[in-house]
Amino acid sequence: MIDLHLIGIGTGNPDHLTRAAIAAMNAADLILLPRKGDAKSDLIDLRRTICADVLSGATRVVEFDLPDRDPAAPYLRAVDQWHDAIAVAWKDEIARHLPNGGRLALLVWGDPSLYDSTLRIADRLRADGSAMTMKVEPGITSLQALTAAHAIPLNTVGAPVVITTGRRLRAGGWPANADTIAVMLDGDCAFQTLDPPGISIWWGAYLGMAHQALIAGSLDDVAAEIIQTRAALRKRHGWIMDIYLLRRATGWSAVSTGPVSLGL
């Protein structure tokens, strides 16, 4: 029997860890850390740092190479095949390092519930007949880190918030019946497809990290600045994780801050 613990570790700052997360890490027999290639070495380095900071017992830490997603295949098919391959990689590491069962922990950026597929990949193992229990320790999401960094509320009074992706924003435009949109996984700055008058944006990259960057203002005023800053940061670090909030004018307006702590 494998007792799988999925632990939300926030957005890169070790201070984001809850006491429950630290306890779960120390209770594990094994923590698996995925490597994603040289271009994202900061991500594995952060996980290593977190483990070094909080582990005080006999928990083993093992790194493994994460399979690549096929960029040539249609998106949904590519993601499905990628998740299958990751599940196989997990299964191989479990067989190698926990052949007699035990407590396995996986560290998840942000929280496992929000635009992360770790839970779905774990379900593949259970559907495959693997004897497994599963528990989740929630973490600070990039959305929480964004609103905290800008010191703004997520919603307007009594109004809904839509959480979506850049892909869907580009394909479908502004969602109906929403005055606030949180946009994740946007590699192409899909806000460029919107009619900007009356829209405010709060953008953040590398939230919680030393090179955190923030820009806010009316979309008319700061869209080009965000695009240029994002490109410069991606070139410097080889990768970027960013998120932004869009809001139509309802009496709450953004104050332009310009980029903060760019690390350039």
Side-chain angles (χ1 to χ4, degrees):
M1 173 68 71
I2 295 295
D3 296 320
L4 176 61
H5 215 134
L6 305 183
I7 302 172
I9 60 172
T11 60
N13 187 336
D15 290 339
H16 287 178
L17 289 175
T18 64
R19 289 195 296 178
I22 293 171
M25 290 174 65
N26 279 285
D29 298 308
L30 174 68
I31 295 176
L32 289 178
L33 300 185
R35 291 187 295 255
K36 294 187 177 182
D38 292 341
K40 295 187 177 181
S41 61
D42 285 359
L43 300 181
I44 187 69
D45 287 343
L46 283 167
R47 280 187 166 105
R48 290 170 183 148
T49 298
I50 288 170
C51 289
D53 283 350
V54 307
L55 293 179
S56 58
T59 301
R60 289 178 293 153
V61 178
V62 172
E63 300 179 11
F64 71 102
D65 292 321
L66 199 66
D68 293 325
R69 191 178 78 196
D70 182 1
Y75 177 73
L76 292 179
R77 184 193 308 165
V79 169
D80 189 56
Q81 293 171 344
W82 185 44
H83 290 171
D84 284 343
I86 294 173
V88 171
W90 285 6
K91 194 169 184 178
D92 290 344
E93 297 300 323
I94 291 169
R96 184 176 298 114
H97 300 288
L98 288 177
N100 299 315
R103 294 165 295 186
L104 169 65
L106 296 171
L107 308 184
V108 179
W109 291 117
D111 182 85
S113 70
L114 183 61
Y115 279 97
D116 181 85
S117 293
T118 308
L119 284 162
R120 284 182 281 271
I121 296 167
D123 281 339
R124 281 166 158 77
L125 294 186
R126 295 196 292 184
D128 194 35
S130 299
M132 178 180 292
T133 64
M134 186 160 55
K135 185 177 180 181
V136 175
E137 291 298 342
I140 293 175
T141 66
S142 58
L143 185 52
Q144 291 169 293
L146 178 74
T147 54
H150 284 287
I152 58 169
L154 175 61
N155 63 295
T156 56
V157 176
V161 175
V162 172
I163 303 173
T164 189
T165 66
R167 181 184 298 271
R168 293 188 65 88
L169 181 64
R170 182 177 292 277
W174 193 282
N177 303 316
D179 59 12
T180 301
I181 310 171
V183 184
M184 309 180 69
L185 304 177
D186 183 7
D188 299 311
C189 297
F191 54 77
Q192 299 175 87
T193 64
L194 301 174
D195 186 21
I199 298 176
S200 295
I201 185 169
W202 293 263
W203 173 85
Y206 311 104
L207 292 164
M209 301 182 192
H211 42 291
Q212 172 178 285
L214 304 173
I215 299 174
S218 68
L219 190 56
D220 263 332
D221 292 338
V222 301
E225 182 184 3
I226 292 172
I227 293 167
Q228 292 167 5
T229 300
R230 190 183 190 280
L233 289 169
R234 185 181 181 90
K235 182 177 180 180
R236 174 175 177 80
H237 298 288
W239 61 279
I240 192 167
M241 289 196 297
D242 63 336
I243 182 175
Y244 56 89
L245 196 73
L246 298 168
R247 182 170 289 145
R248 282 181 166 160
T250 57
W252 181 277
S253 59
V255 176
S256 182
T257 61
V260 178
S261 300
L262 290 181
L264 289 173

